[in-house]
Amino acid sequence: MRSLIILMLLAVLVMAATCYESHESMESHEYLYPFINRRRANDFIQADTRLEAISQERIRERNKAPQERQREICEDYYPCELYAFRHGYAAAYRHYFGRRRTK
């Protein structure tokens, strides 16, 4: 009986220690309003820099290295991709598309 009371007291103490909610977590505004609207969420990014980054990404997509372009062509054709796993992308491209000329 005595050990049951001690065990219950210990369980209550452990529960109180782990379930205690400090005032520090209540000080932040996220506690009351966990979600913000889309406009406030994107306030820190300026529209000019986003548009500039998108245009820079498009420029990088247009000016790809020939090896990268060949690798993408080879990845789109499944037998070439299997061959590339064994022999490399350069050899696979030459094997499947070597007779063709690319721009």
Side-chain angles (χ1 to χ4, degrees):
M1 184 71 176
R2 181 180 251 174
S3 62
L4 184 62
I5 292 172
I6 292 174
L7 187 61
M8 290 282 284
L9 217 85
L10 185 62
V12 168
L13 286 173
V14 167
M15 187 179 72
T18 57
C19 295
Y20 173 73
E21 191 168 328
S22 67
H23 293 289
E24 293 171 357
S25 64
M26 291 184 180
E27 288 176 0
S28 68
H29 297 288
E30 288 92 14
Y31 180 75
L32 298 174
Y33 305 107
F35 302 107
I36 58 176
N37 64 13
R38 291 179 184 169
R39 188 174 297 152
R40 274 197 57 214
N42 293 326
D43 276 348
F44 65 94
I45 298 177
Q46 297 171 351
D48 299 334
T49 58
R50 281 187 289 177
L51 292 175
E52 185 178 327
I54 290 170
S55 66
Q56 288 295 324
E57 181 65 27
R58 297 294 174 242
I59 290 171
R60 273 187 243 117
E61 285 178 4
R62 270 189 267 143
N63 300 331
K64 289 183 180 177
Q67 293 86 2
E68 186 178 355
R69 206 171 295 186
Q70 290 173 359
R71 182 180 178 135
E72 287 177 357
I73 292 169
C74 190
E75 284 175 349
D76 290 338
Y77 186 55
Y78 187 69
C80 182
E81 189 175 19
L82 290 178
Y83 193 88
F85 287 147
R86 182 167 273 201
H87 302 286
Y89 279 100
Y93 184 83
R94 280 192 308 272
H95 180 77
Y96 284 98
F97 304 104
R99 296 179 231 21
R100 298 180 187 176
R101 295 192 86 175
T102 58
K103 292 180 182 180

